[in-house]
Amino acid sequence: MIRFQSFLSGSSGNCTFVTDGTVHILVDCGANGKYITECLRRIGIVPNMLSGILITHEHRDHISGAGILSRRFNLPIYATEKTWEVMADAVGEIKPENYRLTEKEMNIKDLCVRSFSISHDAADPVGYSFLQGQEKLTVATDLGCVDEVLFKQLKGSHSVIIEANHDEEMLQKGPYPYPLKKRISGDRGHLSNTHCGELCVRLAQSGTKSFWLGHLSLENNTPQLAYRTVADAMQEEQLLNSTDLTLNVLPRFWIE
């Protein structure tokens, strides 16, 4: 059974622990080593039990602790070639054998991992799906937009961690300068609550049962607003009436 625990989710940092019970992986590592180590300890894992760190893209809130953990615990880091080119200095020197290139489909021990392109203002951003038997867990945040190619990658997931970054009205009325507002709301920025709701409806209709909203903006969103917007969209299609469908919001920090 594939399970996960979000350690951080948002502009302050991002890190998700994924496991099948034997293989243990971090998706992104956007916090210091002390915080990540404490999170792992609380679920009975020590860092050298990890099989690797998968990087989605090079922004600091996704990579800040990756190099430290790799050096301290001899962990491989997986990223695309273009992402490595722009994040190498920030990650720092690691052992050559721990420099790994993400493949479209690869096996980390017995766990199948698929990467897929996403729309974000980074060198080569990706999301990840984890597959075992009939199970498929997908991590897809930092989504500027969702086209049919991306939807096909998400489709078939039993559980998704999906971005609900901002409320459109809060963003437009908020204190951010106009260029930043334009970047966030653009096709290579972040997914709004409204667009997340539309995506969740389509995924639920195609069979996804578990939805986790992540990467919420601290300034331009609230957990209650994100949940309500997505829940209303799903309720309009009478999807939340199903007892086996769940909708949750990930906390910014797992450990305060």
Side-chain angles (χ1 to χ4, degrees), residues 12-240:
S12 303
N14 296 273
C15 182
T16 304
F17 173 80
V18 177
T19 183
D20 66 354
T22 302
V23 183
H24 312 302
I25 291 170
L26 294 182
V27 178
D28 290 328
C29 193
N32 61 53
K34 182 179 179 180
Y35 178 84
I36 299 298
T37 300
E38 175 60 18
C39 288
L40 290 168
R41 184 192 69 79
R42 293 197 179 193
I43 56 175
I45 301 292
V46 294
N48 59 14
M49 293 170 64
L50 294 170
S51 298
I53 302 169
L54 304 181
I55 300 298
T56 60
H57 63 288
E58 72 275 10
H59 292 167
R60 183 166 181 79
D61 57 320
H62 293 260
I63 69 167
S64 61
I68 295 168
L69 283 183
S70 176
R71 286 185 290 276
R72 187 173 298 170
F73 300 105
N74 193 33
L75 302 176
I77 300 175
Y78 294 80
T80 69
E81 186 172 9
K82 289 180 179 178
T83 297
W84 267 115
E85 288 174 0
V86 294
M87 78 172 189
D89 289 344
V91 169
E93 187 175 353
I94 63 172
K95 291 182 179 180
E97 61 267 29
N98 287 332
Y99 175 102
R100 306 284 179 89
L101 291 178
T102 298
E103 301 174 23
K104 292 297 183 183
E105 184 167 319
M106 58 188 180
N107 286 315
I108 299 179
K109 295 184 178 178
D110 293 329
L111 185 61
C112 178
V113 182
R114 290 178 185 165
S115 68
F116 51 89
S117 295
I118 59 176
S119 181
H120 192 54
D121 58 347
D124 189 18
V126 297
Y128 291 101
S129 289
F130 301 88
L131 302 97
Q132 189 175 76
Q134 300 301 310
E135 287 188 282
K136 180 180 177 182
L137 165 69
T138 297
V139 180
T141 61
D142 297 77
L143 303 174
C145 64
V146 179
D147 59 16
E148 288 305 308
V149 174
L150 177 55
F151 180 76
K152 288 180 181 179
Q153 295 289 345
L154 303 177
K155 188 177 179 180
S157 302
H158 75 278
S159 183
V160 292
I161 299 173
I162 204 79
E163 179 175 55
N165 177 258
H166 61 276
D167 174 75
E168 293 163 332
E169 184 176 357
M170 284 184 68
L171 176 65
Q172 295 309 318
K173 292 183 177 179
Y176 282 3
Y178 175 73
L180 181 54
K181 292 179 180 180
K182 187 175 181 181
R183 169 193 171 265
I184 291 171
S185 60
D187 284 350
R188 299 186 70 227
H190 292 279
L191 207 63
S192 71
N193 294 342
T194 299
H195 289 143
C196 178
E198 294 169 355
L199 173 59
C200 288
V201 165
R202 293 189 66 192
L203 288 172
Q205 290 172 335
S206 69
T208 301
K209 299 299 183 184
S210 179
F211 297 84
W212 298 83
L213 309 182
H215 212 295
L216 275 65
S217 169
L218 181 62
E219 296 81 8
N220 303 303
N221 210 354
T222 68
Q224 297 79 9
L225 188 53
Y227 180 91
R228 190 71 265 153
T229 303
V230 175
D232 285 349
M234 299 177 82
Q235 191 62 51
E236 284 184 14
E237 302 297 328
Q238 298 184 337
L239 293 167
L240 286 181

